[in-house]
Each structure stands twice: as C-alpha cells, then as structure tokens.
C-alpha cells in the first residue's frame, strides 16, 4: 500500500477488513510463501498467540538464511518491542544468533522440531541426492517461476537444492513437503528430463568432489551449456504465460468481489429497511473496495512497464465482467432511478481505473480509533492472506491453468466481439459517497505529508528523556546494573 492511500487504509481497514482483504495483494508482492510451504507444513507454524507467549529458554524451529529449519532457543524477549525475540541455534555457535520479528517473518517460526525433524510425507518423500527437481527460489516474486534444480544433500525431510539463476549457481534448503517451493519436474515432450539432468551437471560444478567436468571436447561442453540456457529460456517463457494467467485471475477475483460489494450496497439501499448508519457502512465498504481496486490496477500497470509485459487482455476481461454485471442489474432494476444513481458512479470509477484515466482519491469517514491493538490485528490478518489465502488461490489457479485461461479468453473475446468502448466520464465523488451518514469526512494524506509525520515521530523518540524505570531491560541487564 503506497502513496496517499496509506493513511486512508489504516483508518478504514479494521472495520472493513473482511470486504477488502483480497484487494491488498498487489501483483508484484502478492505473496511471501518463500518460507511457509504447503498447508500441511503451515499447520506447524506458530500462531501469533503462541509466539507472543514465548519466554526465555523456550525452544522453537526457525528457518535460517540458507532456508533450513533448525531448533533454536529463545535467549531474550524484547518486552518493549512486541513480537520480537532473540534466538540461539542449539547446534551452532553464538555468532549465528539473530533477532526474529514475528510480524516480519511469521512464516519462519514453527513449533520446536515440528519441521526440522519432520519426515517427509508427501509425493517427494523418496527423493534424494542427485534427483532432479523444480524449485521456485523466490516465491514472494511472482515474476520468478519454477526452474530446474538438483538435490545435492538431504537431512531428514529437508534437502539442499542447487540451481542456476541469472547465470549464477545458487543453493537453498527446503522441506520436501513444501509444495510451494519444490515439486517434481514437469514432463516436457520437447525436453527430456534425463537430458536436463545431464545438461545441468555439465554446466555446474560438483559439490562433492570439487571436480569441474570440462569434458574431453571444449566445444561440446560449450554447446551443452548453450542448449541448457535455451531450454531454460523456453521454460521461463512458459512460466511467464502461466503467471499471466494467475495474475489475470487475481484481478478478476477482485473485480467480482467489488461487484458483489456493490450489489450488497444497492440491495440494502433498495430494501429501505436498514438504518442510515448501516447503509453508510455498506457505502464505505464499496468506496474502500474502489480505493484498493485502484491500487491493484495501478500496481499492475507499473509492473507491466517494469517487466515489459502487457496486461491489456486482463483489463479487457475485467471490463467484460463489469458489463455483464451492469446488464443483469439494469434488466432487473433499470427503472429504479434511486438505485441507478448509485450504481453508475461505482461502475464508472472501475472503468476509469481500468482504462488508465486519472481518478481522484476517495474520502473516508474519520470515526475509527486506530491503536496498537487494532494495528496488530490488521497486520496479522494481512499476513495470513499473503501467506495462506492468496498463495492457496494462486496454487489452485496454477494447477487448473488451462481451465482458467479458457475462461479468461472467453471474456476477452466477448468484450472484443461486442465492440465495447468505455465512455467514461469525470468521477463524481459526491455520487460515490451519497450515503455517508457523517460529517467527519476526510481524505488520505499525501506521501510527502506522511513522511513528514514519520520524521516528526522519529525525532520525538530520538530526543525524549530516557525512562530509567520502564526501559524494558531484561533480567540479565537488571542484574548487571545492580
């Protein structure tokens, strides 16, 4: 969440969280499943309540910088920094001790020995040293797909995988049951897996003997490396196409959710039975969804320029969904002017966003208290969506990519065959907020103002007098001071 919408989202998200959870995924950083894994593995992770109850001397599993889960002991709890502890890896020297912030890496902490000593129970349980696999080195980056790798070591249910990334040999530990990062090689009729394995070994240095296989013919070795690179490029192209299907579907999911919010709001307005306060809440949910929808599409557009890709077909599919919704609703309530004057501004805003028109920021009702407890709940909810809900959805779409791609192409053809042109007009903010039952209307602060406020808060902390009574020292510090 960036720019002038950050303050808006902070103030609104607690009461409206259930309706806007999906919208908080931007395309480039929609997940950080790099360290969590399958739903089975995820059941081993510590909950927020479990983590916050940790005390000095307790033990947990923690995933270190090379990707391996290892047993660690809590050596310090930062009581003045909720959710932060210092750990010592039981089988390693103290120089590897690190601080762990739950809210930044909740997917790295699990119950003691739940993953580090867990035997593999999945489809890859029989995989061992020398076995080719597909690995996703950076699942938090949706532009990074599956690439070829080879298992070079195994300890219990965890394996070390070596792979080539951007021409450099790298390695990473991952549990065999972590289906979000590791899978069996996909059979490619134009690319035999045995050839992949031979090419990989020809292009990489053996981790066991230190012997670099140059072969008896340097030109043959060069050809092998070139062939391997071409195979990698072809595979990357296929992976990019699969990612486009997933990213398009996430946009369509958000489009449908926003249309459903709009429908619920209009139904409440039509019923005339709910109070003004209730109708105001429905109105605010729609405006929150529109704001997040704008951020979603804006993020996709920026990523398109950065990655050299085209999301125009995704936007057309989204516009087709909007048209279908509008036709159905107008067929049912087209003669109801009271509803149409609420429907039209919402759909116009969505269309304006999708055709890249400049749209204004939308206001919010400034009646909500946003304290540390609320912030903790919000962050926990967003992390759950990013680490579980959204990755599970992406996994499902990826598994059924042919079906979803066909549906997306059908929407695109329908849009083009209808010869639709989006005659958008200037956004009417009053039309979008006509049921706000409050005088406390505010707009999100600009990024510059937010930075100024952050600097002021930081300076206040820098120059405040120390509190020698409640400074958060632990028992060890207290003993040393005495």
């Amino acid at each position: 969440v960036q720019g002038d919408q950050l303050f808006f989202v902070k103030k609104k998200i607690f009461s409206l969280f259930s309706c806007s959870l999906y919208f908080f995924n931007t395309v480039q950083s929609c997940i950080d499943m790099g360290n969590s894994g399958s739903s089975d593995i995820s059941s081993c992770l510590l909950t927020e309540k479990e983590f916050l109850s940790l005390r000095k001397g307790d033990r947990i599993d923690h995933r270190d910088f090379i990707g391996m889960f290892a047993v660690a002991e809590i050596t310090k709890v930062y009581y003045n920094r909720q959710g932060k502890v210092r750990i010592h890896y039981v089988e390693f020297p103290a120089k590897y001790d690190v601080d762990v912030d739950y809210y930044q890496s909740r997917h790295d902490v699990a119950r003691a020995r739940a993953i580090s000593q867990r035997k593999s129970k999945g489809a890859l349980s029989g995989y061992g040293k020398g076995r080719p696999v597909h690995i996703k080195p950076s699942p938090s980056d949706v532009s990074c797909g599956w690439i070829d790798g080879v298992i070079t070591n195994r300890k219990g249910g965890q394996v070390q995988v070596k792979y080539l990334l951007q021409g450099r040999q790298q390695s990473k530990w991952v549990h065999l049951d972590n289906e979000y990062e590791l899978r069996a090689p996909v059979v490619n009729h134009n690319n035999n897996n045995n050839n992949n394995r031979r090419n990989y070994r020809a292009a990489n240095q053996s981790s066991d003997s230190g012997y670099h296989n140059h072969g008896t013919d340097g030109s043959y070795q060069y050809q092998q490396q070139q062939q391997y690179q071409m195979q990698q490029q072809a595979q990357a192209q296929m992976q990019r196409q699969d990612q486009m299907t997933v990213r398009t579907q996430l946009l369509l999911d958000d489009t449908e959710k926003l249309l459903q919010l709009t429908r619920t709001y209009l139904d409440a307005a039509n019923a005339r039975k709910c109070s003004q306060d209730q109708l105001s809440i429905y109105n605010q949910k729609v405006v929150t969804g529109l704001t997040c929808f704008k951020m979603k599409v804006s993020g996709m557009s920026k990523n398109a320029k950065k990655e050299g890709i085209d999301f125009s077909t995704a936007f057309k599919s989204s516009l087709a969904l909007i048209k279908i919704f509008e036709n159905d609703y107008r067929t049912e309530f087209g003669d109801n002017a009271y509803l149409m004057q609420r429907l039209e501004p919402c759909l116009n805003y969505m269309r304006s966003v999708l055709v890249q028109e400049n749209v204004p920021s939308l206001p919010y009702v400034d009646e909500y208290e946003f304290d540390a407890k609320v912030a903790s709940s919000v962050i926990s909810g967003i992390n759950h969506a990013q680490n579980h809900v959204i990755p599970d959805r992406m996994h499902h779409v990826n598994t059924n990519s042919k079906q979803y791609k066909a549906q997306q192409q059908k929407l695109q053809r329908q849009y083009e065959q209808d010869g639709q042109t989006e005659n958008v007009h200037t956004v009417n903010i009053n039309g979008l907020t006509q049921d706000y039952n409050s005088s406390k209307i505010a707009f999100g602060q600009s990024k510059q103002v937010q930075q100024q406020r952050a600097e002021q808060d930081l300076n206040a902390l820098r120059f405040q007098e120390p509190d020698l009574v409640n400074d958060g020292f632990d028992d060890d510090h207290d003993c040393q001071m005495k």
Side-chain angles (χ1 to χ4, degrees), residues 335-351:
D335 295 333
N336 191 327
Y338 178 79
L339 295 180
M340 293 302 106
Q341 69 180 10
R342 285 161 173 75
L343 172 67
E344 196 279 333
C346 297
L347 300 187
N348 178 65
Y349 192 93
M350 294 180 70
R351 288 179 169 127

Side-chain angles (χ1 to χ4, degrees), residues 251-252 255 293 313-323 354:
L251 173 65
L252 297 181
T255 303
F293 188 75
T313 57
F315 296 159
K316 288 180 180 178
S317 298
S318 179
L319 287 165
L321 284 179
I322 296 172
K323 187 62 177 178
L354 289 167

Side-chain angles (χ1 to χ4, degrees), residues 128-131 150-154 160 162 169 197 201 204-212:
K129 186 176 179 180
R131 192 72 177 265
V150 173
I151 296 175
T152 58
N153 198 357
R154 175 168 178 170
Q160 184 184 37
K162 285 200 172 184
Q169 179 176 291
R197 184 173 173 181
R201 286 183 169 176
N204 292 276
Q205 183 175 353
S206 171
S207 61
D208 300 320
S209 64
Y211 173 70
H212 195 150

Side-chain angles (χ1 to χ4, degrees), residues 33 35-48 50-51 61 63 69 102 105-111 114-115 387-388:
M33 282 303 294
N35 300 326
S36 69
S38 70
S39 58
D40 196 18
I41 287 290
S42 298
S43 66
C44 302
L45 301 180
L46 290 176
T47 65
E48 179 182 14
E50 289 173 332
F51 189 91
D61 266 8
R63 196 175 190 188
F69 275 95
Y102 178 79
S105 57
R106 62 185 297 173
H107 39 267
D108 290 345
V109 289
R111 289 181 290 279
I115 298 180
N387 296 329
H388 300 284

Side-chain angles (χ1 to χ4, degrees), residues 123-136 146-153 159-163 174 176 181-187 191-201 204 228 231-232 235:
L124 306 185
S125 58
Y127 278 42
K129 186 176 179 180
R131 192 72 177 265
V133 291
H134 277 179
I135 187 171
K136 183 174 287 189
W146 296 95
I147 62 176
D148 290 332
V150 173
I151 296 175
T152 58
N153 198 357
V159 293
Q160 184 184 37
V161 179
K162 285 200 172 184
Y163 54 91
V174 60
L176 285 166
E181 294 183 49
L182 199 67
R183 72 181 187 186
V186 177
V187 177
N191 187 7
N192 185 272
N193 284 333
N194 292 328
N195 288 337
N196 275 347
R197 184 173 173 181
R198 286 196 296 270
N199 292 339
Y200 184 89
R201 286 183 169 176
N204 292 276
Y228 176 77
Q231 292 170 349
Q232 289 290 89
Q235 186 179 19

Side-chain angles (χ1 to χ4, degrees), residues 62 64-66 68-72 87-97 155:
H62 182 258
D64 61 20
F65 66 96
I66 63 173
M68 176 179 283
F69 275 95
V71 178
I87 64 171
H88 166 72
Y89 295 108
V90 174
E91 299 180 358
F92 296 91
K95 67 179 181 178
Y96 294 110
D97 292 4
K155 292 184 179 180

Side-chain angles (χ1 to χ4, degrees), residues 162-194:
K162 285 200 172 184
Y163 54 91
L164 283 179
L165 185 63
Q166 296 180 346
R168 298 179 60 185
Q169 179 176 291
Q170 302 187 33
S171 66
K172 181 180 183 179
W173 283 86
V174 60
H175 198 282
L176 285 166
D177 291 344
N178 187 341
E179 61 185 23
Y180 288 99
E181 294 183 49
L182 199 67
R183 72 181 187 186
V186 177
V187 177
N188 188 327
H189 297 293
N190 298 321
N191 187 7
N192 185 272
N193 284 333
N194 292 328

